[in-house]
Amino acid sequence: GKLIPSELKQFLGLKDISRAEGSVDLDLMMEGIIPKKEKYTIADFFTFNTVADLNLNSFGIGLKNDSIVLNNITGNLSVSETVTAKDLHLTYKDQHIILNGTFVNLPDWLSGAHVTMTASASIKCDKVIVESFLPDTSETDTTSSGKRAWTLPADMILDVNFNIGDLIFKTFRAENISGNLSY
C-alpha cells in the first residue's frame, strides 16, 4: 500500500507527531495474537512477528512540537527481526545524512524493552553540528559541581563507519573526518 503520513496522523489522532509529509510505499505482513485491552500503544504492535519493506518518498516527520524534525527522507527500510537501511537519505537541522546498515533489536529497543540493540552501519554526513544531537540539559538537574551529567545508553553495541565533511562543536571546526566508532 501507499501510506500518506499526514492522513494517518489525522486519522489516528497522533498528538506526539507535530508534522508529517511525503509518502511511504509499504509491503507489510504482521502475524500474532492481539490481546484484548482497553487501550493499545505502539509498543503493543512490536510483539507481532513482522516483515515489512518500506520505500520512503520525501518523507518528513516532526516530533515533540517540532523539537525533532526529520525532512526529505528517501531510501529503503526492511524490517523483520533485523532492520536494514539501504541508501537512507535524510536532513536533520540542515545536516544531510546518508545511512546504510543493519540494526538488531531496534524496534524492541525503541519501545523500551530490555534488550541490547546491535548495529553495524555506515554514516556519511555533509556536516555534523554536535550540539544539535546532544540532549537539551538546560532544564535538568546538575551535579554537585554544577556541571550537567549525560551518559550514553548501556544497552547498545555499535560498529559505525563514518565520513563527515565538516565537524562543528562550539568554536571547534574540523574538515574531512572519517573513521570507525566501536561502542
Side-chain angles (χ1 to χ4, degrees), residues 92-133:
Y92 176 70
K93 295 186 178 182
D94 199 33
Q95 300 160 97
H96 184 73
I97 302 164
I98 303 170
L99 174 67
N100 286 285
T102 303
F103 306 84
V104 178
N105 291 327
L106 180 61
D108 292 332
W109 186 79
L110 289 173
S111 71
H114 295 287
V115 297
T116 299
M117 191 271 297
T118 304
S120 177
S122 66
I123 298 175
K124 184 175 182 179
C125 307
D126 63 340
K127 63 183 167 189
V128 171
I129 303 167
V130 176
E131 288 95 348
S132 68
F133 291 96

Side-chain angles (χ1 to χ4, degrees), residues 20-22 32 43-44 46 53 58 65 67 72 85 94-95 98 105 112 117 122 137-139 144 157 159 162 168 173:
E21 55 199 27
D44 293 326
F46 287 129
D53 188 56
S58 297
N65 293 325
S67 64
N72 303 317
D94 199 33
Q95 300 160 97
I98 303 170
N105 291 327
M117 191 271 297
S122 66
T137 56
S138 61
E139 297 178 13
S144 59
I157 298 170
D159 183 20
F162 59 89
I168 303 163
R173 184 181 196 107

Side-chain angles (χ1 to χ4, degrees), residues 16 22 30 39-40 53 55 76 79 102 114 122 149 154 157 163 174:
D16 289 337
M30 297 176 83
K39 186 175 180 181
Y40 295 94
D53 188 56
N55 286 307
N76 178 270
V79 181
T102 303
H114 295 287
S122 66
I157 298 170
N163 188 326

Side-chain angles (χ1 to χ4, degrees), residues 24-28 50-56 75-88 101-107:
V24 178
D25 297 326
L26 175 66
D27 184 3
L28 172 68
T50 303
V51 176
D53 188 56
L54 296 92
N55 286 307
L56 299 121
N76 178 270
L77 286 174
S78 297
V79 181
S80 58
E81 292 179 9
T82 301
V83 175
T84 303
K86 293 179 187 168
D87 294 323
L88 192 65
T102 303
F103 306 84
V104 178
N105 291 327
L106 180 61

Side-chain angles (χ1 to χ4, degrees), residues 128-131 166-175 177:
V128 171
I129 303 167
V130 176
E131 288 95 348
D166 291 311
L167 178 69
I168 303 163
F169 182 63
K170 297 184 182 185
T171 59
F172 175 80
R173 184 181 196 107
E175 297 176 348
I177 309 289

Side-chain angles (χ1 to χ4, degrees), residues 134-147:
L134 297 176
D136 180 14
T137 56
S138 61
E139 297 178 13
T140 59
D141 294 333
T142 57
T143 62
S144 59
S145 66
K147 295 183 180 183

